[in-house]
């Protein structure tokens, strides 16, 4: 980027932008096409035309890096499509049509392939007859036409067009007639003239069908079968989805590495809304699997393999697109399980003693009732036994929720109940498709002998369950943890209640947000070191011998958060490490282990996890990206870890932006009522929590209680202004120095001459219009953006226009970037350059006006008259004895503490003045310490 910056004026930003786009979208697979070469010569966007299924053609601007995902997004926005899933971009050349999907495929690679094919046949690239289409490729199993009328209309038009050209063919003639009759109603309503019917026949009926039966005969049949309905289009779309699932499928080439015997080892893997089909090269079905017959899917990226676990055997398939296959199948399974109302019992449960629970036998069908009466998060469902009709709480690990929206077939139910071994495989491998671990998972059993309290004898439990085994404190329990596990906490009246976080899996009607739960769990131990081992033990206990997959996943998420907050004690550390190491196949295990090692080297966090951390891990995302905004109205996402400190993030951002130095920059957080600079030694997420929690408490007091959400924005800006020479670090000048200094200038904080204001006005005008002199008449309207607010009446609008435009003409050949540097070079000469200004009410100096302007810079604190801009006093940092601030004041003592002069100010921004003074003083102290160290080594 540095090299490109010094390129020719026209090409430098153009090339830089192309490079950024290429880095973002990935490496191309084909050479540039003719379109790209023409666009490069003119430096203009490439315009492509995409044909919609209703016949419309939409033109879109693209570039060499554009992907099918980006084009699909632009098209969706243009046509106001909301339900975008399954819509893809297609390319056609001659009689060949193929899908580019809506993902990472580069559009220009497809066009380049078309041009190469035309050239191979002796044609010219620029005349390649390629075409682009936007159409529905695949439905979700739960597709609902009522969700988006635009989506339904596009698919409807696609189906009608497909009927006409023979792409979609009905098995029965009456179905074709019925579809044509529905199209008649869409087009003409109740106007049943024969002429209209003939038009519909021409639009719907394929030429082969018209050859078999005359147009007149088809017209008569369609006219007789007239259909009327408010949901005609939806009925056509639903018919297509149910009747032609293979024509709305995603296809992948795979090779079988292991699994049940099939006639072919290489075949086509088709995914659609009905299930999965294995096809040979002649499109003959080798195996058809409905979604209830699938128990899990898992991709092995390193080997480019996908493991498909089914009731009919487990398959390991090799595919270049293994991740895409796994992601799509997993999404369909998860979506179906989420929406399913059917479950099959895997064991017998007899709880006649407690009507809260539902009793059932093995292999019975349970209808799930989703009214949120019981907590799914704690592993409980509400269900109705199909056999008995009874309703009650069902343990989630006692049933298998079937990924289906319709009642499962008898075949599926019988497969599930075949044998105990097969049931165990289904339970172990459901959801994730993980393989049983070869190493026995480690537990806290040995650790509990020396450190846990004695188990409590529960008489009620022994009476109800006569054969109940003694309580195992180190293993999963459905009961809430009412006493600490560690015996050293049991006798401590202050710590014992804090250690009871109720992490049991008992059904509860109480609904709490994830953040409230993590605050409840991690709040006490972040504030008290003695509670930290207790939380580690409780989490690992609940994950031990736990067959509830959802509960185990929640446990891993809590453990991941815990490992990023604080380490366990040395006595527990090796047990925690072994616990994680023996479960390495779990998705979060490796990351937990790394975070555990990192926590030992870092100081503990001071506050519970932030909302962003909780949201991320709930999505099983171990990478957290946070949006950072810059003063020039741009923004970028940066990775932020649980152990990222402010100073680390500042260096990361400075390096990414290629600034010459990170010194003087800081992270700021803006809430609705404050803008605060973050302490560089604090953890990023601790700082965010502190600020948002403070704002939330203040807002709750004002709003008399209730849940409160606090919006905030994170900024990266220059805080301390030193060692700045305009032009030396152009990136810093463009992104920070200019946009931060401009508002101060326009607000009239600086003292400047009329000549300087004219020069600056001309430079600002150039930044707005570049070389477009036709904008000259607009100068009077733009004056508030060109001249300081308090100087607008120093000349008439016409005089300002005349002087600014004359100066603008002298700057011929100046670029916008050079204008920015020129602006800073003029402002840089003023003593108030880089100052932070605060208008305050002072009550200590009778010779000063009531309202004074305090300017803080590297020189110290300057007191300025706000109207005349005369300097009333200058207080260098070495003359300031101390200072303090509150919500309504700022006080400062100049001289010594005994006989010094006190400056008393009333202001709501005292916290900002305080922070800036502290930061500048610390900067000088660090400088002195560095000089002393250098002298010592010399």
């Amino acid at each position: 980027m540095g090299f490109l910056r010094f390129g020719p004026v026209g090409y430098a930003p153009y090339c830089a932008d192309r490079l950024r786009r290429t880095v973002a979208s990935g490496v191309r697979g084909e050479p540039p096409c003719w379109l790209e070469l023409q666009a490069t010569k003119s430096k203009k966007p490439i315009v492509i035309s995409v044909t919609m299924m209703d016949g419309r053609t939409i033109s879109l601007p693209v570039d060499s890096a554009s992907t099918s995902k980006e084009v699909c997004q632009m098209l969706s926005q243009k046509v106001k499509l909301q339900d975008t899933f399954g819509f893809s971009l297609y390319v056609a050349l001659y009689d060949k049509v193929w899908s580019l999907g809506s993902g990472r495929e580069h559009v220009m690679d497809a066009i380049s392939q078309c041009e190469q094919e035309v050239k191979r046949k002796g044609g010219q690239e620029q005349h390649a007859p390629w075409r682009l289409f936007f159409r529905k490729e695949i439905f979700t199993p739960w597709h609902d036409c009522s969700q988006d009328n635009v989506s339904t209309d596009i698919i409807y038009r696609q189906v009608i067009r497909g009927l006409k050209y023979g792409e979609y063919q009905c098995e029965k003639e009456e179905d074709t007639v019925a579809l044509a009759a529905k199209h008649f109603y869409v087009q003409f309503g109740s106007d049943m003239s024969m002429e209209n019917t003939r038009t519909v026949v021409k639009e719907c009926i394929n030429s082969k069908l018209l050859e078999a039966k005359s147009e007149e005969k088809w017209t008569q049949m369609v006219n007789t079968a007239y259909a009327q309905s408010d949901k005609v289009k939806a009925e056509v779309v639903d018919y297509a989805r149910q009747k032609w699932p293979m024509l709305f499928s995603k296809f992948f080439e795979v090779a079988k590495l292991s699994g049940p015997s099939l006639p072919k080892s290489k075949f086509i893997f088709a995914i659609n809304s009905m299930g999965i089909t294995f096809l040979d090269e002649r499109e003959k079905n080798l195996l058809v699997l409905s979604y209830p017959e699938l128990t899990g899917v898992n991709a092995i990226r390193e080997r480019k393999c996908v493991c498909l676990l089914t009731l009919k055997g487990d398959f390991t398939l090799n595919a270049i697109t293994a991740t895409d296959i796994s992601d799509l199948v997993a999404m369909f399974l998860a979506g179906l399980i989420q929406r399913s109302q059917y479950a099959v019992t895997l064991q017998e449960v007899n709880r006649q003693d407690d009507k809260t629970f539902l009793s059932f036998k093995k292999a019975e069908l349970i209808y799930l009732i989703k009214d949120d009466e019981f907590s799914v998060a704690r592993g409980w469902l509400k269900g109705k036994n199909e056999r008995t009709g009874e309703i009650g709480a069902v343990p989630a690990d006692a049933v298998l929720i079937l990924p289906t929206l319709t009642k499962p077939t008898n075949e599926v139910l019988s497969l599930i109940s075949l044998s105990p071994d097969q049931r165990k495989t289904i339970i172990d491998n459901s959801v994730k498709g993980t393989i049983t671990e070869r190493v026995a998972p480690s537990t806290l059993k040995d650790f509990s002998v020396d450190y846990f309290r004695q188990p409590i004898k529960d008489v009620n439990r022994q009476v109800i369950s006569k054969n109940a085994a003694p309580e195992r404190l180190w293993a999963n329990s459905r009961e809430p943890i009412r006493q600490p596990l560690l015996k050293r906490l049991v006798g401590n009246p202050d710590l014992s209640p804090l250690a009871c976080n109720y992490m049991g899996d008992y059904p509860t009607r109480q609904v709490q947000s994830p953040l409230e739960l993590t605050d409840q769990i991690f709040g006490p131990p972040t504030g008290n070191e003695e509670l930290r081992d207790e939380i580690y033990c409780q989490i690992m206990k609940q994950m031990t011998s736990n067959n509830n997959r959802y509960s185990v996943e929640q446990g891993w998420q809590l453990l991941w958060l815990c490992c990023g907050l604080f380490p366990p004690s040395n006595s527990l550390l090796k047990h925690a490490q072994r616990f994680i190491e023996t479960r390495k196949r779990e998705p979060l295990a490796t990351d937990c282990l790394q975070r555990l090692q990192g926590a030992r080297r870092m100081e503990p966090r001071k506050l519970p996890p932030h909302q962003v951390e909780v949201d991320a891990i709930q999505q099983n995302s171990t990478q957290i990206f946070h949006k950072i905004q810059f003063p020039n109205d741009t923004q970028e996402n940066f990775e932020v870890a649980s152990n990222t400190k402010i100073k680390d993030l500042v260096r990361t951002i400075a390096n990414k932006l290629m600034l010459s130095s990170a010194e003087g920059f800081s992270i700021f957080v803006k809430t609705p009522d404050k803008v605060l600079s973050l302490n560089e030694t604090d953890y990023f997420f601790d700082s965010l929590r502190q600020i948002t929690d403070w704002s939330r408490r203040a807002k709750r007091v004002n709003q008399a209680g209730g849940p409160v959400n606090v919006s905030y924005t994170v900024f990266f800006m220059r805080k301390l202004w030193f060692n700045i020479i305009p032009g030396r670090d152009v990136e810093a000048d463009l992104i920070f120095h200019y946009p931060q200094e401009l508002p101060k200038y326009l607000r009239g904080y600086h003292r400047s001459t009329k000549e300087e204001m004219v020069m600056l006005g001309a430079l600002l005008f150039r930044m707005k219009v570049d070389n477009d002199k036709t904008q000259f008449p607009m100068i009077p309207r733009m004056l508030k953006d060109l001249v300081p607010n308090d100087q607008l009446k120093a000349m008439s609008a016409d005089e300002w226009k005349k002087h600014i435009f004359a100066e603008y003409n002298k700057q011929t050949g100046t670029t916008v970037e050079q204008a920015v540097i020129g602006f800073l070079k003029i402002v840089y000469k003023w003593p108030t350059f880089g100052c932070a200004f605060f208008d305050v009410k002072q009550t200590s100096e009778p010779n000063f006006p009531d309202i004074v302007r305090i300017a803080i810079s590297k020189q110290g604190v300057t007191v300025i008259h706000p109207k005349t801009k005369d300097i009333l006093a200058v207080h260098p940092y070495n003359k300031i004895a101390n200072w303090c601030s509150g919500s309504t004041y700022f006080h400062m003592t100049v001289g010594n503490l005994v006989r010094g002069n006190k400056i008393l100010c009333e202001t709501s921004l005292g916290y900002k003045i305080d922070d800036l003074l502290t930061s500048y003083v610390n900067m000088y102290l660090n400088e002195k310490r560095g000089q002393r160290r250098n002298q010592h080594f010399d």
Side-chain angles (χ1 to χ4, degrees):
M1 296 295 282
F3 174 83
L4 293 176
R5 192 184 299 131
F6 297 102
V9 174
Y11 276 94
Y14 178 72
C15 292
D17 183 62
R18 284 172 65 83
L19 180 57
R20 274 191 289 267
R21 288 276 295 137
T22 302
V23 170
S25 68
V27 180
R28 287 271 301 275
E30 298 290 340
C33 66
W34 181 84
L35 271 179
E36 292 173 85
L37 297 176
Q38 300 308 305
T40 304
K41 293 175 185 176
S42 63
K43 299 190 291 298
K44 291 180 180 178
I46 304 165
V47 177
I48 59 170
S49 294
V50 182
T51 302
M52 306 293 289
M53 289 297 97
D54 58 4
R56 280 183 296 168
T57 299
I58 295 177
S59 297
L60 299 171
V62 296
D63 61 18
S64 298
S66 292
T67 60
S68 56
K69 179 180 180 180
E70 291 173 335
V71 172
C72 287
Q73 285 174 344
M74 284 191 286
L75 284 165
S76 299
Q77 289 169 2
K78 286 235 180 191
V79 300
K80 295 183 171 58
L81 176 67
Q82 295 174 351
D83 182 13
T84 58
F85 177 84
F87 282 93
S88 296
L89 190 67
Y90 283 72
V91 63
L93 180 69
Y94 304 129
D95 58 349
K96 184 181 179 184
V97 181
W98 69 98
S99 169
L100 300 183
S102 57
R104 299 180 297 270
E105 290 286 337
H106 286 94
V107 178
M108 289 302 137
D109 276 350
I111 294 173
S112 179
Q113 289 175 345
C114 292
E115 290 182 356
Q116 291 173 49
E117 178 63 15
V118 169
K119 188 176 180 181
R120 191 179 65 81
K121 292 185 174 182
Q124 294 181 318
E125 293 98 322
Q126 60 265 42
H127 297 140
W130 53 265
R131 292 156 293 151
L132 293 172
F133 296 94
F134 182 65
R135 53 185 282 146
K136 187 74 168 178
E137 184 175 19
I138 186 172
F139 289 96
T140 59
W142 52 88
H143 180 84
D144 183 359
C145 289
S146 65
Q147 296 297 311
D148 184 2
N149 291 334
V150 175
S151 166
T152 301
D153 183 68
I154 293 172
I155 304 168
Y156 170 81
R157 300 293 174 185
Q158 178 177 326
V159 172
I160 297 302
R161 188 176 184 276
L163 285 170
K164 171 65 180 174
Y165 293 103
E167 181 183 1
Y168 306 129
Q169 297 178 13
C170 299
E171 293 179 0
K172 299 177 181 178
E173 184 178 272
E174 52 263 38
D175 286 355
T176 305
V177 173
L179 290 174
K182 291 179 189 296
H183 184 57
F184 182 102
Y185 180 76
V186 170
Q187 294 294 89
F188 302 107
S190 57
D191 185 3
M192 296 177 61
S193 70
M194 294 303 287
E195 188 58 37
N196 288 342
T197 311
R198 271 190 281 273
T199 303
V200 166
V201 167
K202 289 176 182 177
E203 289 177 353
C204 290
I205 309 302
N206 180 254
S207 56
K208 288 185 178 179
L209 295 176
L210 290 173
E211 289 172 5
K213 265 185 186 168
S214 68
E215 182 180 314
E216 199 58 38
K217 181 64 176 174
W218 279 106
T219 302
Q220 188 179 349
M221 288 193 294
V222 170
N223 196 266
T224 306
Y226 172 76
Q228 184 172 346
S229 169
D230 293 332
K231 300 177 181 178
V232 170
K233 290 183 181 179
E235 289 169 2
V236 172
V237 171
D238 286 337
Y239 177 93
R241 178 173 61 84
Q242 293 162 11
K243 290 291 183 181
W244 302 310
M246 290 308 298
L247 299 178
F248 291 93
S249 302
K250 272 196 171 283
F251 300 97
F252 306 88
E253 292 182 357
V254 300
K256 182 169 77 76
L257 299 180
S258 66
S261 177
L262 291 172
K264 304 270 185 180
S265 60
K266 290 185 178 181
F267 48 86
I268 303 298
F269 188 100
I271 305 173
N272 55 55
S273 60
M274 298 298 180
I276 291 171
T277 306
F278 296 174
L279 303 161
D280 64 13
E281 66 275 13
R282 295 181 181 178
E283 297 185 0
K284 179 185 176 184
N285 292 353
L286 303 178
L287 180 67
V288 179
L289 296 165
S290 63
Y291 287 113
E293 293 174 286
L294 305 183
T295 60
V297 65
N298 186 28
I300 306 172
R301 284 187 173 86
E302 309 80 51
R303 294 169 52 197
K304 293 185 178 178
C305 290
V306 60
C307 300
L308 189 70
L309 309 176
T310 81
L311 296 178
K312 296 179 179 178
D314 300 343
F315 296 87
T316 303
L317 308 172
N318 177 248
I320 297 172
T321 53
T323 304
D324 293 343
I325 294 173
S326 174
D327 289 349
L328 185 57
V329 175
M331 185 200 114
F332 279 6
L333 287 176
L336 285 166
I337 288 172
Q338 182 185 351
R339 294 166 174 82
S340 177
Q341 295 181 323
Y342 303 96
V344 175
T345 59
L346 299 170
Q347 61 192 57
E348 182 175 348
V349 170
N350 187 1
R351 294 296 298 269
Q352 300 295 335
D353 55 286
D354 190 342
K355 291 300 180 182
T356 301
F357 300 89
L358 180 66
S359 297
F360 46 78
K361 296 179 180 180
K362 297 176 184 177
E364 289 193 329
L365 185 65
I366 301 294
Y367 294 104
L368 301 178
I369 301 170
K370 300 185 179 181
D371 59 5
D372 297 326
E373 184 176 354
F374 299 111
S375 173
V376 177
R378 294 184 181 275
W380 290 94
L381 307 167
K382 184 177 180 181
K384 178 181 179 181
N385 189 321
E386 184 195 36
R387 177 178 58 84
T388 65
E390 293 177 349
I391 296 173
V394 181
D397 57 350
V399 299
L400 180 70
I401 299 176
L402 299 177
T404 180
L405 301 180
T406 57
K407 186 177 177 181
T409 62
N410 291 332
E411 182 191 7
V412 169
L413 294 174
S414 62
L415 281 171
I416 292 173
S417 60
L418 276 177
S419 73
D421 289 340
Q422 287 173 318
R423 282 203 303 273
K424 185 178 184 303
T425 301
I426 292 167
I427 296 171
D428 291 342
N429 297 331
S430 65
V431 183
K432 291 291 182 183
T434 53
I435 302 166
T436 306
E437 299 181 36
R438 296 173 186 174
V439 181
S442 178
T443 70
L444 291 179
K445 186 177 180 180
D446 294 339
F447 180 82
S448 69
V449 173
D450 296 324
Y451 297 97
F452 278 15
R453 61 172 167 80
Q454 289 299 311
I456 298 171
K457 292 182 179 179
D458 189 339
V459 177
N460 292 330
R461 184 168 172 266
Q462 291 175 352
V463 170
I464 293 170
S465 305
K466 294 180 180 179
N467 299 323
E471 182 186 12
R472 299 184 301 170
L473 287 181
W474 46 270
N476 173 266
S477 168
R478 290 201 173 280
E479 302 298 321
I481 301 174
R482 303 187 190 279
Q483 284 198 41
L485 300 174
L486 297 173
K487 58 186 176 185
R488 62 181 169 83
L489 295 180
V490 174
N492 190 321
D494 296 325
L495 299 182
S496 183
L498 294 175
C500 302
N501 286 293
Y502 300 96
M503 291 173 60
D505 287 336
Y506 192 78
T508 176
R509 291 173 171 85
Q510 185 180 5
V511 178
Q512 288 178 291
S513 72
L515 188 66
E516 287 175 320
L517 290 170
T518 52
D519 283 356
Q520 181 183 336
I521 294 167
F522 297 115
T526 49
N528 194 311
E529 186 177 353
E530 291 189 63
L531 293 168
R532 291 171 187 169
D533 278 2
E534 177 71 25
I535 296 304
Y536 270 103
C537 291
Q538 288 191 19
I539 294 172
M540 289 186 282
K541 162 190 166 65
Q542 290 304 100
M543 292 166 66
T544 301
S545 302
N546 190 344
N547 290 328
N548 181 347
R549 185 67 211 177
Y550 182 87
S551 176
V552 172
E553 283 185 358
Q554 297 291 298
W556 277 107
Q557 291 174 4
L558 287 174
L559 188 59
W560 185 87
L561 289 170
C562 195
C563 292
L565 295 174
F566 44 75
S569 65
N570 289 332
S571 59
L572 179 59
L573 178 64
K574 63 179 181 181
H575 295 277
Q577 285 179 322
R578 185 65 182 152
F579 182 92
I580 299 170
E581 286 170 349
T582 55
R583 294 166 172 81
K584 276 195 170 179
R585 291 183 184 276
E586 293 287 346
L588 293 175
T590 303
D591 216 65
C592 283
L593 206 55
Q594 291 172 353
R595 285 164 69 87
L596 189 65
Q597 301 297 340
R600 296 177 61 200
R601 298 189 294 270
M602 307 286 290
E603 57 186 281
R605 288 267 295 274
K606 296 175 183 175
L607 294 170
H610 188 268
Q611 181 76 58
V612 173
E613 295 174 274
V614 177
D615 289 345
I617 197 57
Q618 279 204 300
Q619 304 299 322
N620 283 322
S621 172
T622 56
Q623 274 189 305
I624 303 172
F625 291 90
H626 206 290
K627 185 191 296 178
I628 309 290
Q629 297 203 343
F630 306 122
N632 66 340
D633 292 330
T634 60
Q635 60 188 35
E636 207 163 325
N637 288 328
F638 289 88
E639 186 174 357
V640 187
S642 296
N643 60 358
T644 298
K645 292 197 170 185
I646 302 300
K647 59 184 177 183
D648 302 326
L649 183 56
V650 168
R651 285 196 208 99
T652 300
I653 297 172
N655 291 336
K656 181 78 179 288
L657 298 178
M658 293 184 284
L659 305 180
S660 61
S661 171
E663 296 297 324
F665 288 94
S666 183
I667 303 288
F668 294 80
V669 173
K670 181 182 180 182
T671 64
D673 47 9
K674 279 194 175 185
V675 177
L676 291 159
S677 170
L678 304 188
N679 188 336
E680 68 169 14
T681 60
D682 289 344
Y683 287 110
F684 176 72
F685 284 120
D686 274 354
S687 294
L688 282 189
R689 273 234 52 162
Q690 195 170 20
I691 291 170
T692 53
D693 285 358
W694 182 89
S695 295
R696 190 177 285 111
R697 283 193 295 271
K699 202 170 179 183
R700 191 176 285 121
V701 169
N702 294 336
Q703 296 181 1
V708 173
N709 291 321
V710 176
S711 60
Y712 69 91
T713 309
V714 180
F715 285 91
F716 180 73
M717 297 186 289
R718 179 171 283 285
K719 180 181 183 182
L720 305 181
W721 294 71
F722 62 95
N723 295 336
I724 298 171
I725 299 174
R728 186 169 66 181
D729 186 349
V730 176
E731 290 295 329
D733 289 339
L734 296 173
I735 303 172
F736 303 99
H737 301 156
Y738 166 70
Q740 284 185 243
E741 277 300 293
L742 177 62
K744 302 176 196 175
Y745 170 68
L746 293 177
R747 286 172 192 152
Y749 289 160
H750 301 289
R751 171 176 277 177
S752 52
T753 65
K754 191 175 292 185
E755 291 76 15
E756 287 173 327
M757 287 189 284
V758 169
M759 289 175 65
L760 291 170
L763 291 168
L764 291 172
F765 182 61
R766 182 168 295 279
M767 288 177 222
K768 289 186 175 296
V769 305
D770 198 0
N771 295 318
D772 185 5
K773 292 186 179 183
T774 62
Q775 298 295 317
F776 165 61
M778 300 300 294
I779 289 179
R781 293 188 185 179
M782 299 164 61
L783 276 181
K784 62 180 176 57
D785 297 324
L786 306 178
V787 177
N789 187 51
D790 62 338
Q791 297 297 318
L792 287 171
K793 295 182 180 179
M795 288 190 283
S796 67
D798 285 338
E799 285 181 310
W800 276 119
K801 181 173 76 169
K802 182 177 70 175
H803 285 89
I804 288 173
F805 194 63
E807 183 63 32
Y808 171 85
N809 287 329
K810 293 178 186 177
Q811 301 167 359
T812 303
T814 303
T815 65
V816 170
E817 187 175 299
Q818 289 168 341
V820 170
I821 307 302
F823 173 90
L824 289 172
K825 283 183 177 178
I826 295 172
V827 180
Y828 169 73
K829 298 172 185 176
W830 300 338
T832 46
F833 172 74
C835 286
F837 297 94
F838 303 91
D839 285 352
V840 302
K841 182 180 181 182
Q842 66 88 23
T843 57
S844 53
E845 181 54 65
N847 297 325
F848 292 175
D850 288 345
I851 305 297
V852 295
R853 183 167 291 153
I854 289 180
I856 300 175
S857 67
K858 63 182 180 180
Q859 281 85 18
V861 178
T862 304
V863 183
I864 300 171
H865 194 296
K867 291 183 178 177
T868 65
K869 299 179 191 172
D870 292 333
I871 293 176
L872 304 175
V874 178
H875 304 295
Y877 291 113
N878 59 0
K879 300 294 183 183
I880 301 173
N882 74 341
W883 62 88
C884 62
S885 66
S887 59
T888 58
Y889 69 89
F890 173 77
H891 295 171
M892 183 173 72
T893 303
V894 179
N896 59 54
L897 291 173
V898 180
R899 303 178 60 186
N901 296 324
K902 283 197 173 181
I903 299 174
L904 309 177
C905 304
E906 293 178 18
T907 175
S908 61
L909 300 177
Y911 69 96
K912 275 192 174 184
I913 302 173
D914 191 328
D915 177 56
L916 267 175
L917 282 179
T918 303
S919 298
Y920 271 114
V921 169
N922 286 340
M923 179 192 80
Y924 284 117
L925 289 175
N926 291 335
E927 212 172 72
K928 282 185 179 179
R929 290 192 197 103
Q931 289 170 357
R932 286 189 197 128
R933 279 198 296 270
N934 292 338
Q935 288 171 2
H936 174 74
F937 287 116
D938 290 345

